[in-house]
Amino acid sequence: MRTPFPLPERAAPSPFRRPRALSVVAAVGLAAALALPASPATAAAAESGTAPPVDLGRQVIAPDDGWASWSGDTYPERAQRLAAPTTGGSAASPADVYVAGTWQELRDALAGRASGSQNDARYNTVPRIVYITGTLDPWLRSDGTRTTCDDIAAQITVAGSGAPFSMDDYIAAFGPGVDPSGPLEAARVEAAALQARLTLQHIGSNVTLVGVGDDAHVVGASLRIRDASNVIVRNLSLSDAYDCFPQWDANDAGGNWNSAYDNLSVWTSTSVWIDHNTFGDGDHPAASLDTVYGRPFEVHDGLVDITHGSDLVTMSWNWLQHHDKTDIIGSSDSRLQDRGQHRVTQHHNRWTDIGQRGPRVRFGDVHVYNNLYEQTDATTRGSSEGYDFFQYFWGAGRESSIVAESNAVELIDPASASRIIAGWGGTELSATDTLVNGEIVDVLAAYNAGAAAPLSPAVRWDPADAYAYTLTPVGDVAETVRAGAGAGVLASGTPVATGAPGAFTLSHDSGWDTGLRDGDYRVTADLWWGQNATVVKLYENGTLVGAQSMAGASPAAQRTAFDIAGRTNGTYAYELVALNPHGESRSRKLTVTVTDAAPAIAALSVSGVWTGDVTITANLWWGTNASEYVLFQDGVEIDRQALTTATPNAQRATTSLGALSPGTYEFTAVLSNAAGSTTARPITVTVKG
């Protein structure tokens, strides 16, 4: 029996770290990046012979780079959507550019606000760029301790027993041929829901999610692009989307453990570019799994799954490692609404020691070209008596049409070439120019020779009708893909800096121009020396009030300013967050006190009492001007005038009352502007009979 174990302490993600940065600019269409202005970082890179760092956040997919570059109609869940080439968050305003160095910072950035909900992230359509630095781990608490599977299970009580839920009890209660049900299954579902709140994160529309450097890593989490369009995910290592509470399905091929989480999944989403990422099982590879009920106790689902009517996806230059059910395109045979959807291009990806699904397809027109499929001793070690770890690479499912061109395959057992293709209810598949262990092999003929339902090479579509593409010669595919695929290959970052920006110093000019602290002033930010910023954001009392893009030339100084207007009397604390793809810094807080925003107090005078032509005059000799004057006689408004402001010049308003009846009168005036009102001292006027 398996004993549930806590997730272990995670070591540095060395299997996913690339020791060098190789330029594959031409292959991924980064020509626009090369037009960036020169900077010290660019010049240094040129002298050293390495590629300069590129701001991947502003890049878009190149023309004709597969289905994600295509324009036209798509119908996720049969609802029409007009697709355009994928641009992600490249149009993000400075306020919507983020750096995430923790799991919570990533969640906040995707939601668009601190502690936002999953629905905030899922339905957010504001263009956003999120740079990921370092390792993001949802299991790591803010105090440095780690949440474990047992911590989650302990929060769930099994109905009728009063005992906390345990996977040991779950395993003991069921077995081969028995589908779980009752209180234990209900408790497992509750525990799984708790884990989902911790580790599952939705990504909405118009997002670019990009890792910076060669060690940007999301570990132990599941990212889901859901109900979205126009999304880019690049230069990230995503590993070990670990499921603490997998479900036993006794009716799945004789019984199987099914897990809930993919490292990356695409649900009901369109126009998605997944490029230069590394996917794997991290600390829990297939070889480490226990056997329960005679089947591997599977704690992972797919590495990348594209399902629920998703469409127009390009997967390019990714490295998918050491995983069984790696990549499925299409949810189930029964989802007939997915007809015409699931159009996916996969090119220059590296598939190392996978068991199956490279990919398996339902309904879609899928183009698979210039990929490398390689096996090492790990494929052999993953097999056991009666169970062969390697099943197939290309799975032709219901109503699918796969076009496979110029792919390189390296097999431990050359005889398994007949298993490169598998039939799952499909009727057609084209496979041309497939290099198997250095020789061109007709892998479709090899499959058809023993197939109960052979596949036809006459496919219903031609990729060249959708987009132009050029094949890498198949003899060069293995070397090209090994050199260029995976995270950490692109020289990511920014050409204006090699590290996080220095901290800016804030100053202000409140009161300098007129001597008045009238609520209109400028906050100036200076970075005297150091790594430059590409974006600065100014916060006032914790609220974002301004954001700007910055041109940089590290280590030269940077300066910018924010004009503040219309503040009422009070105290305002300012803080500047400076960021570039490498990280962010915060300035010291600057406090500005506003004392003179409302109009100064006017002085009232009276004339013409003896001549029977009474005039009230309000004089504002110096101070903040008013935009309105109201005169009251014995508490009743008798005059209202709009005033022209010219602070700090004097202001005057007059009201002619004519002759007043004998008696005593009290007059006062209220002067107002957008910041407030002041009341003049009253004057008393006596008219004798």
Side-chain angles (χ1 to χ4, degrees):
M1 182 184 301
R2 172 186 177 275
T3 301
F5 54 91
L7 287 174
E9 293 292 331
R10 299 195 186 276
S14 56
F16 298 91
R17 189 179 180 116
R18 301 300 292 252
R20 74 254 186 265
L22 301 176
S23 175
V24 289
V25 169
V28 296
L30 306 186
L34 300 181
L36 290 169
S39 70
T42 305
E47 291 177 5
S48 68
T50 62
V54 173
D55 185 351
L56 303 182
R58 294 293 180 182
Q59 289 189 337
V60 304
I61 197 166
D64 295 311
D65 192 358
W67 277 117
S69 67
W70 184 82
S71 298
D73 289 332
T74 177
Y75 295 87
E77 299 297 271
R78 310 319 302 159
Q80 184 180 24
R81 204 183 272 178
L82 180 62
T86 304
T87 59
S90 61
S93 70
D96 298 305
V97 177
Y98 304 88
V99 175
T102 68
W103 177 246
Q104 189 58 50
E105 288 173 348
L106 173 63
R107 304 191 106 171
D108 291 346
L110 292 173
R113 65 183 182 90
S115 301
S117 70
Q118 289 285 38
N119 278 344
D120 288 332
R122 179 175 169 185
Y123 299 116
N124 193 346
T125 61
V126 174
R128 283 149 292 148
I129 298 171
V130 186
Y131 299 102
I132 292 180
T133 62
T135 298
L136 277 56
D137 183 349
W139 300 89
L140 183 65
R141 301 185 181 106
S142 58
D143 63 2
T145 61
R146 300 190 64 79
T147 302
T148 68
C149 297
D150 291 340
D151 291 335
I152 295 173
Q155 299 178 57
I156 304 300
T157 300
V158 180
S161 72
F165 175 69
S166 162
M167 280 300 290
D168 271 349
D169 295 341
Y170 183 88
I171 291 168
F174 307 108
V178 181
D179 263 338
S181 61
L184 275 171
E185 171 61 8
R188 186 202 64 80
V189 170
E190 285 187 66
L194 278 183
Q195 182 186 343
R197 294 177 199 170
L198 177 69
T199 65
L200 176 64
Q201 178 59 46
H202 287 143
I203 300 172
S205 298
N206 306 317
V207 170
T208 291
L209 192 64
V210 58
V212 179
D214 62 359
D215 61 352
H217 193 180
V218 178
V219 58
S222 178
L223 301 182
R224 181 173 294 168
I225 303 167
R226 184 166 185 184
D227 301 323
S229 63
N230 193 31
V231 178
I232 296 173
V233 180
R234 301 183 74 193
N235 200 47
L236 279 172
S237 291
L238 297 103
S239 69
D240 202 9
Y242 185 96
D243 188 350
C244 294
F245 312 107
Q247 181 182 35
W248 172 249
D249 185 349
N251 298 308
D252 180 2
N256 267 311
W257 290 98
N258 292 323
S259 180
Y261 305 112
D262 308 312
N263 286 350
L264 179 67
S265 59
V266 185
W267 281 34
T268 323
S269 295
T270 58
S271 302
V272 177
W273 184 28
I274 303 167
D275 176 71
H276 275 97
N277 303 289
T278 298
F279 300 92
D281 287 347
D283 292 339
H284 300 96
S288 72
L289 302 179
D290 293 331
T291 298
V292 179
Y293 305 158
R295 300 296 295 154
F297 189 81
E298 185 58 74
V299 294
H300 301 120
D301 195 6
L303 293 185
V304 183
D305 281 2
I306 301 166
T307 60
H308 297 79
S310 293
D311 197 21
L312 306 177
V313 179
T314 295
M315 290 176 57
S316 55
W317 299 96
N318 301 290
W319 190 0
L320 301 97
Q321 306 175 352
H322 310 292
H323 190 85
D324 184 13
K325 298 177 180 179
T326 305
D327 172 39
I328 198 165
I329 301 173
S331 308
S332 73
D333 289 353
S334 63
R335 280 183 57 92
L336 300 183
Q337 66 265 42
D338 293 344
R339 285 172 169 159
Q341 298 293 106
H342 297 157
R343 291 172 289 181
V344 178
T345 302
Q346 296 182 337
H347 71 83
H348 294 92
N349 299 290
R350 183 179 181 183
W351 311 72
T352 302
D353 293 315
I354 70 166
Q356 55 187 303
R357 300 184 182 178
R360 175 181 171 177
V361 183
R362 295 181 174 99
F363 300 108
D365 292 346
V366 175
H367 192 195
V368 179
Y369 74 91
N370 284 159
N371 297 282
L372 170 63
Y373 299 84
E374 59 185 357
Q375 294 179 343
T376 71
D377 288 342
T379 291
T380 303
R381 293 195 302 272
S383 301
S384 59
E385 185 175 352
Y387 174 75
D388 193 345
F389 178 72
F390 172 60
Q391 300 294 306
Y392 65 92
F393 291 135
W394 306 326
R398 179 174 184 177
E399 298 181 31
S400 66
S401 187
I402 298 173
V403 176
E405 300 181 275
S406 298
N407 296 286
V409 182
E410 299 177 357
L411 299 172
I412 291 291
D413 177 10
S416 61
S418 63
R419 290 162 43 208
I420 288 173
I421 297 170
W424 292 96
T427 60
E428 62 184 63
L429 183 148
S430 172
T432 57
D433 203 26
T434 308
L435 193 70
V436 181
N437 290 9
E439 301 289 337
I440 296 296
V441 174
D442 186 343
V443 295
L444 180 59
Y447 167 75
N448 282 341
L455 296 168
S456 169
V459 293
R460 65 185 177 226
W461 73 295
D462 183 350
D465 292 338
Y467 47 85
Y469 63 99
T470 301
L471 294 171
T472 301
V474 71
D476 298 334
V477 166
E479 180 180 4
T480 300
V481 172
R482 285 194 180 103
V489 176
L490 299 175
S492 61
T494 170
V496 308
T498 58
F504 280 69
T505 298
L506 299 183
S507 60
H508 70 90
D509 64 356
S510 180
W512 290 10
D513 53 347
T514 64
L516 293 169
R517 299 179 180 273
D518 58 4
D520 293 349
Y521 47 91
R522 174 171 290 182
V523 174
T524 300
D526 284 290
L527 179 65
W528 301 116
W529 185 88
Q531 296 297 312
N532 284 184
T534 55
V535 168
V536 291
K537 302 180 182 182
L538 185 68
Y539 290 84
E540 178 186 85
N541 297 338
T543 299
L544 181 68
V545 293
Q548 300 176 10
S549 295
M550 300 286 290
S554 301
Q558 280 185 307
R559 167 175 281 195
T560 191
F562 296 84
D563 289 324
I564 308 297
R567 297 302 184 263
T568 59
N569 290 347
T571 299
Y572 301 88
Y574 293 95
E575 184 178 32
L576 187 90
V577 175
L579 62 89
N580 63 32
H582 297 286
E584 65 179 37
S585 65
R586 291 178 178 268
S587 70
R588 291 184 178 179
K589 288 187 176 179
L590 171 74
T591 298
V592 178
T593 301
V594 177
T595 57
D596 305 315
I601 297 175
L604 297 184
S605 62
V606 61
S607 63
V609 173
W610 305 112
T611 63
D613 184 15
V614 176
T615 298
I616 304 295
T617 300
N619 281 295
L620 187 64
W621 300 115
W622 185 88
T624 303
N625 285 181
S627 57
E628 185 180 65
Y629 153 84
V630 180
L631 182 67
F632 294 87
Q633 175 183 314
D634 296 329
V636 177
E637 180 182 329
I638 59 172
D639 190 21
R640 181 181 295 263
Q641 300 178 25
L643 302 179
T644 300
T645 61
T647 304
N649 294 336
Q651 264 187 322
R652 171 177 289 186
T654 61
T655 301
S656 179
L657 301 179
L660 293 177
S661 301
T664 300
Y665 305 90
E666 182 180 81
F667 295 93
T668 190
V670 175
L671 272 64
S672 302
N673 61 20
S677 301
T678 57
T679 302
R681 290 182 180 179
I683 61 170
T684 300
V685 176
T686 299
V687 179
K688 295 182 178 180

